[in-house]
Amino acid sequence: MSDIIQLLPDHVANQIAAGEVVQRPASVVKELLENAIDAGATNIKLLLKDAGKTLIQVIDDGKGMSATDARMCFERHATSKIRKAEDLFNLSTKGFRGEALASIAAIAHVELKTKEENQELGCAIKIEGSKIISQDFVSTGKGTSLAVKNLFYNIPARRNFLKSDTVETRHIVDEFQRVVLAHPNISFLLHHNNNEVYNLRSGNLRQRIVAVFGGKMNEKLVPINEVTDILTIEGFVAKPEFSKRKRGEQFFFVNDRFIKSSYLNHAVVNAFDGLLENGTHPSYFLYLKVPTNTIDINIHPTKTEIKFDNEKALYAMLRATVKHSLGQYNVAPVLDFNRDANLDTPYTYKSNTKVASVPKISVDPNFNPFKEENPPKQTKAVLPFKREKNTESWESLYTSSAAVIENEQEQLFEHKQEEKTQKTFQIQRKYVLSLIKSGVVLINQSLAHQRVLYEEFLESITIKEANSQQLLFPVKISFSSAEIEMIYTIKTELENAGFSFDEFTKASVTIKGIPVSVTESKITIILEELLNDINLEVPDASFSHFDVMAKSFAKTLSIKTGTLLSEKEQEGLVNDLFSCKEPSVSPFGKATFKTLTLNQIDNLFNS
Ligand code: ADP
Ligand code: MG
């Protein structure tokens, strides 16, 4: 047999290697930003077109490259950052594998311009699919500009697998946030399709976090500070009452590198022990510094997972430090001159007052359909539109249920019932028990109300009949610029839901009208939750936000477990639930009620 093994040509090897490094535009963004940081830049610009599919360009004012290096940097395993294997155990740079630029150049059209400080002229290189197309001298400023165009142009399968612009942009913003949060001392600009999305000036850590996540973040932060022999921990955790239903703002940085670690996350969550509402996740921005020779960054190509020598000690220290800071904050609000200390309330106290108020689910008892005038407007509060009742089958469950019970009770106790029989009972402020002909239904009050609100919102959003209440004083709410962009893109849907807007600025939105079922105090939380949900669901651009919006509103505004309901409210809820199109499941697919037939109840006693 003849020999059949060959070495792959470089460009093919590079393409294969690229698959590991570059999954999507966001991966390129990460690599280029990291290179700029490693080059000592103090100002970094990121320019994007079409979610990075058309253009990703990073411009820095770092140290630049010589003409030879400018050519060399696209070679595989070409790096200035390590020389020998031992260097791997003493890393202070982001990059070290020397494969990012080689990989990127294999799968895109790349244009590099770079100049070192002491040079007259810089160097410009064009390279396509690993082939150098041109190399010239240019006059350019100190630093490097690297433009990556038409990513995956020569790998259609990869290009076709890219998600919508909304999704890819979300991934890019995630990477961008991780980088900018690790380097508050560097200024960053992000432009997308010529719109400025972020303009972050250099500053301290708190200023950077607030600049990224919006002004309201400031009052949420509890500082963390601990210096020991084996590590220092710095940063912030968000106060427990600002914890999120879904994991979002959770950031660990080790030696200025964003990392993912479920182990360390566990330590933080553990420190919040007992302070978090069920099913919520704390936000945190934690910066660990450890000696470089006690970690191994080399275990994952994207370098977001690292191994610690003394994991257990880190865990214990992290947990203790966070716990300590939370405790301090609880006893005495941390002094912070950026905000009014009077606004600080210890979380235990505050969370008591946070119990959701009961939306009015009862109907105006004085309403008389034969009276001339219409019922007062407020009675529509939770039923902003009329629904076709679809209750026939359910009504049959209920007819004469009271009579059955009455008879039984009369037989048992020979006691004449009063005219009005109670048909619903609340159990542990969590369930509503309702009597039906064949037995009882047990309704989960919170999930049932979610279903009711969900159908109401969905209908009012989609039939475009805004049920808006004008605010006496428009409310101005601050958001991060990315959040503002997001609100702007779903403005029409929000208006259909009953919001009306006055003014959009780079850092705030002024709201002058809200849906009738929303109270003024809930505006911020409902919008925050909505943005959170949209971000986490990352729906396609083509996908309507209606459903996410209706779900999000329903979840935020629904009555919660722990809320006492009057009898009238209980009955209102039962009626509303069974007038829904799909009463049996919550918008998130959980059962809203269970029935127990008399037979089943009998069986409980027969076994
Ligand atoms: P790595 O970052 O792992 O070394 P890269 O492929 O990302 O590998 O970059 C290769 C080399 O090109 C780097 O080691 C660095 O010397 C040089 N380089 C890349 N980007 C820049 C930049 N923005 N400014 C200066 N030098 C750069
Ligand atoms: Mg690099």
Side-chain angles (χ1 to χ4, degrees):
M1 266 229 342
S2 55
D3 301 333
I4 50 173
I5 299 179
Q6 297 177 5
L7 279 177
L8 287 173
D10 264 359
H11 70 277
V12 179
N14 282 341
Q15 257 193 30
I16 294 171
E20 226 190 325
V21 185
V22 184
Q23 276 99 39
R24 50 176 13 122
S27 337
V28 175
V29 167
K30 172 177 192 280
E31 295 297 336
L32 298 189
L33 291 176
E34 291 190 346
N35 278 348
I37 291 166
D38 283 344
T42 53
N43 288 289
I44 300 176
K45 278 187 215 163
L46 169 61
L47 312 178
L48 303 168
K49 284 219 173 89
D50 307 323
K53 294 171 185 170
T54 309
L55 171 76
I56 301 163
Q57 182 171 16
V58 170
I59 305 169
D60 69 53
D61 60 355
K63 66 178 186 227
M65 284 180 262
S66 69
T68 319
D69 281 356
R71 234 186 138 105
M72 192 57 187
C73 72
F74 294 108
E75 297 290 328
R76 204 138 54 97
H77 307 306
T79 181
S80 56
K81 299 171 193 174
I82 57 172
R83 307 219 157 225
K84 48 190 191 305
E86 293 88 85
D87 294 347
L88 275 176
F89 302 100
N90 233 326
L91 284 168
S92 58
T93 51
K94 307 265 156 190
F96 55 84
R97 298 167 64 112
E99 53 191 8
L101 293 186
S103 301
I104 293 166
I107 51 169
H109 299 153
V110 174
E111 293 174 23
L112 165 72
K113 275 186 199 163
T114 186
K115 187 179 90 76
E116 291 176 299
E117 184 151 39
N118 53 6
Q119 296 296 311
E120 279 278 293
L121 285 177
C123 166
I125 288 181
K126 281 191 185 169
I127 179 164
E128 290 181 4
S130 302
K131 257 207 236 77
I132 298 208
I133 305 289
S134 67
Q135 176 161 11
D136 302 294
F137 288 106
V138 285
S139 89
T140 173
K142 174 207 165 197
T144 302
S145 156
L146 209 128
V148 176
K149 297 180 178 171
N150 311 319
L151 188 66
F152 296 133
Y153 79 99
N154 52 357
I155 317 181
R158 296 297 294 275
R159 194 162 172 95
N160 292 339
F161 265 106
L162 290 180
K163 296 277 165 43
S164 69
D165 284 6
T166 322
V167 175
E168 295 301 341
T169 306
R170 182 68 231 164
H171 284 290
I172 291 178
V173 169
D174 282 346
E175 288 296 351
F176 180 80
Q177 288 183 346
R178 292 165 180 179
V179 172
V180 302
L181 287 171
H183 296 277
N185 52 339
I186 300 177
S187 302
F188 289 92
L189 261 186
L190 167 54
H191 285 206
H192 187 200
N193 295 336
N194 296 324
N195 293 325
E196 183 179 289
V197 183
Y198 285 103
N199 183 351
L200 306 170
R201 269 174 240 150
S202 65
N204 64 28
L205 191 51
R206 179 187 277 270
Q207 289 164 333
R208 178 55 52 90
I209 294 173
V210 169
V212 173
F213 292 104
K216 58 192 174 338
M217 183 55 94
N218 200 20
E219 56 153 328
K220 300 183 183 175
L221 300 176
V222 179
I224 306 283
N225 256 309
E226 180 73 50
V227 181
T228 73
D229 288 348
I230 61 164
L231 89 161
T232 62
I233 307 173
E234 268 191 287
F236 298 91
V237 297
K239 295 172 190 170
E241 65 264 33
F242 295 110
S243 59
K244 303 240 165 189
R245 292 235 176 69
K246 290 186 187 159
R247 285 186 193 203
E249 294 147 3
Q250 299 189 330
F251 296 88
F252 277 119
F253 301 91
V254 173
N255 298 353
D256 297 336
R257 187 191 297 279
F258 171 83
I259 61 139
K260 293 179 184 157
S261 167
S262 49
Y263 187 68
L264 295 184
N265 174 64
H266 194 270
V268 177
V269 172
N270 210 293
F272 274 81
D273 188 30
L275 303 178
L276 296 171
E277 256 181 66
N278 257 353
T280 61
H281 306 276
S283 299
Y284 53 79
F285 311 87
L286 292 169
Y287 297 72
L288 280 54
K289 295 245 157 68
V290 296
T292 45
N293 60 359
T294 63
I295 50 173
D296 183 358
I297 309 169
N298 201 12
I299 57 175
H300 196 268
T302 57
K303 313 179 204 94
T304 49
E305 282 163 37
I306 65 179
K307 241 175 71 190
F308 299 95
D309 278 359
N310 34 18
E311 226 176 27
K312 289 215 172 88
L314 289 193
Y315 183 101
M317 247 175 261
L318 187 60
R319 180 173 172 277
T321 306
V322 173
K323 213 176 169 85
H324 177 73
S325 300
L326 284 171
Q328 265 189 341
Y329 151 72
N330 181 20
V331 181
V334 181
L335 274 187
D336 178 350
F337 298 105
N338 286 331
R339 62 162 183 232
D340 181 357
N342 292 328
L343 295 177
D344 272 334
T345 322
Y347 56 80
T348 42
Y349 180 60
K350 212 167 187 176
S351 61
N352 283 340
T353 59
K354 242 185 73 185
V355 173
S357 59
V358 188
K360 295 187 192 66
I361 40 176
S362 53
V363 178
D364 178 8
N366 300 322
F367 172 56
N368 174 352
F370 302 107
K371 244 167 74 181
E372 280 291 321
E373 64 207 0
N374 286 326
K377 269 231 140 68
Q378 288 88 314
T379 55
K380 292 175 88 187
V382 169
L383 289 172
F385 55 87
K386 292 218 167 58
R387 251 178 297 129
E388 285 285 311
K389 293 245 168 187
N390 130 38
T391 50
E392 276 165 38
S393 50
W394 294 107
E395 268 162 0
S396 69
L397 276 178
Y398 278 92
T399 36
S400 74
S401 66
V404 172
I405 302 286
E406 249 173 326
N407 281 338
E408 277 177 6
Q409 285 184 335
E410 260 176 274
Q411 282 162 17
L412 279 172
F413 301 112
E414 297 178 8
H415 158 72
K416 178 114 183 68
Q417 283 286 295
E418 283 160 22
E419 247 198 83
K420 188 179 166 291
T421 316
Q422 191 175 352
K423 292 186 199 131
T424 58
F425 306 85
Q426 197 182 18
I427 304 174
Q428 303 284 10
R429 300 188 177 190
K430 183 168 187 189
Y431 298 102
V432 173
L433 183 139
S434 173
L435 305 179
I436 55 171
K437 241 193 327 195
S438 60
V440 296
V441 243
L442 259 178
I443 297 166
N444 180 311
Q445 64 186 47
S446 181
L447 297 179
H449 198 218
Q450 279 184 10
R451 163 54 63 181
V452 172
L453 291 177
Y454 169 70
E455 291 200 4
E456 284 173 7
F457 273 115
L458 203 57
E459 193 159 338
S460 73
I461 297 169
T462 47
I463 62 176
K464 299 188 187 353
E465 184 189 296
N467 295 283
S468 189
Q469 46 176 333
Q470 294 300 299
L471 296 171
L472 212 47
F473 303 103
V475 179
K476 187 171 174 179
I477 307 175
S478 54
F479 286 103
S480 70
S481 42
E483 287 172 328
I484 304 259
E485 227 197 32
M486 179 60 85
I487 295 179
Y488 200 77
T489 51
I490 55 170
K491 186 165 166 269
T492 320
E493 285 113 319
L494 283 167
E495 282 167 350
N496 286 344
F499 282 93
S500 64
F501 298 94
D502 212 12
E503 196 195 7
F504 280 79
T505 72
K506 279 202 177 121
S508 71
V509 177
T510 306
I511 292 170
K512 58 178 189 195
I514 52 177
V516 281
S517 41
V518 176
T519 53
E520 203 175 320
S521 60
K522 285 263 167 75
I523 303 177
T524 312
I525 169 101
I526 195 175
L527 287 176
E528 268 185 20
E529 284 288 321
L530 176 64
L531 294 176
N532 198 25
D533 290 342
I534 290 182
N535 276 341
L536 286 154
E537 298 234 347
V538 273
D540 268 47
S542 55
F543 179 83
S544 97
H545 291 104
F546 290 158
D547 195 61
V548 184
M549 197 179 278
K551 276 185 187 159
S552 177
F553 289 173
K555 184 185 64 190
T556 312
L557 294 172
S558 60
I559 47 172
K560 304 290 183 303
T561 296
T563 308
L564 184 67
L565 300 179
S566 71
E567 207 186 315
K568 214 187 291 159
E569 287 164 341
Q570 295 168 28
E571 278 174 26
L573 179 61
V574 174
N575 291 336
D576 286 348
L577 177 66
F578 291 117
S579 340
C580 284
K581 292 203 178 94
E582 247 184 275
S584 59
V585 284
S586 83
F588 302 93
K590 292 194 183 139
T592 51
F593 69 89
K594 295 274 178 202
T595 44
L596 259 184
T597 61
L598 261 182
N599 256 343
Q600 288 169 317
I601 299 174
D602 287 343
N603 283 338
L604 291 177
F605 294 93
N606 291 336
S607 54

